[in-house]
Amino acid sequence: MTDDERGSRVFYQLMKHVLLGPLLKLLFRPRIEGLEHIPEEGAAIIAGNHLSFSDHFLMPVVLDRRITFLAKQEYFTGPGLKGRLTAAFFRAVGQIPVDRSGKEAGKAAIREGLGVLGRGELLGIYPEGTRSHDGRLYKGKVGVAVMALTAGVPVVPCAMVGTFEIQPPGKVVPRIRRVTIRFGEPLDFSRFAGSAGERAVVRAVTDEIMYAILRLSGQEYVDEYAAVVKAAESGPSE
């Protein structure tokens, strides 16, 4: 482990247990359901819905284990003081920037995620690929299935409930309201071992993961990608 990695882990624990974690628990009083479904050791994927920027902070503080998220690269490249502070925070807690543009973006995300799983750690991922702009649950991208099948690890579905109401897209300061975080039973896809390269299989596995999230969250489901719907609703650019 490098000095940077050790420093990141120390900062993560400091933020979780001393600085940020206790404050978030005090303000939002999260109801936690199904925490027993998180493996005590070994690699696993935590796959959740994504309703708010607050999700990045509220889920990790309720877990006993460290979790690493694949975070969009824009969090590391924002302008001004806010951008620098956000980038510093995400780097310090060991989050991994992923470039979501270009043909190689998906492969890069999968490669980084498999590295986390290969170290026997928890990987957090939002299969929708972006925050929901309207509170609905959208079609999942297949990267989560490729990683689960390639690494041979379980997937724990997770539902954030109430985070859209406290901080919808565009709202900087979240409202102080209670939220619920639900974890479902781990999904075992060992029956599909060796099938990570089969399109029909990874689509089916992804859909099973999204259905598990849907059952936990109670959201309305949209069988389209969130980014496509967002683009269509925003209309043609001038």
Side-chain angles (χ1 to χ4, degrees):
M1 184 183 299
T2 67
D3 288 341
D4 285 345
E5 289 171 335
R6 279 191 289 269
S8 170
R9 290 175 184 273
V10 170
F11 186 79
Y12 183 93
Q13 296 301 325
L14 181 65
M15 291 295 292
K16 178 177 177 178
H17 297 293
V18 180
L19 301 176
L20 187 60
L23 178 62
L24 291 177
K25 289 181 179 179
L26 177 65
L27 293 176
F28 299 103
R29 299 174 295 127
R31 299 182 186 92
I32 309 164
E33 302 174 8
L35 195 59
E36 69 275 9
H37 296 313
I38 305 297
E40 294 183 0
E41 58 183 21
I45 296 172
I46 312 298
N49 59 344
H50 194 17
L51 296 169
S52 168
F53 185 72
S54 299
D55 297 340
H56 289 292
F57 308 100
L58 290 170
M59 188 210 293
V61 301
V62 306
L63 297 176
D64 292 331
R65 296 180 60 186
R66 173 190 170 96
I67 183 170
T68 298
F69 280 92
L70 299 180
K72 64 180 182 179
Q73 191 176 52
E74 290 87 337
Y75 287 146
F76 298 81
T77 58
L81 178 60
K82 179 184 176 183
R84 291 195 296 272
L85 290 175
T86 300
F89 175 82
F90 275 89
R91 288 194 184 95
V93 297
Q95 307 307 283
I96 300 173
V98 175
D99 183 357
R100 300 185 300 179
S101 63
K103 295 181 180 180
E104 297 300 313
K107 293 180 181 179
I110 290 171
R111 184 169 58 249
E112 295 287 358
L114 290 174
V116 174
L117 297 171
R119 297 192 294 271
E121 300 175 1
L122 294 180
L123 174 69
I125 187 170
Y126 303 117
E128 293 168 276
T130 185
R131 277 179 288 174
S132 173
H133 64 292
D134 58 11
R136 297 187 294 178
L137 183 70
Y138 285 85
K139 185 176 183 179
K141 296 187 175 183
V142 299
V144 61
V146 173
M147 286 186 281
L149 297 178
T150 301
V153 301
V155 178
V156 179
C158 173
M160 308 296 292
V161 180
T163 56
F164 184 81
E165 288 72 21
I166 68 170
Q167 193 180 22
K171 185 171 181 58
V172 177
V173 180
R175 300 182 181 96
I176 306 303
R177 294 183 183 176
R178 196 168 194 186
V179 301
T180 298
I181 305 173
R182 296 191 182 112
F183 299 98
E185 294 185 8
L187 303 175
D188 178 10
F189 297 109
S190 58
R191 64 190 185 279
F192 296 122
S195 301
E198 298 182 24
R199 180 177 298 181
V201 172
V202 296
R203 182 71 261 166
V205 168
T206 303
D207 290 344
E208 184 174 338
I209 293 169
M210 298 310 294
Y211 179 67
I213 296 172
L214 178 65
R215 291 186 62 187
L216 291 171
S217 70
Q219 293 168 266
E220 178 184 346
Y221 180 72
V222 181
D223 193 27
E224 296 183 71
Y225 293 117
V228 174
V229 174
K230 282 184 187 180
E233 292 183 359
S234 65
S237 58
E238 296 293 336

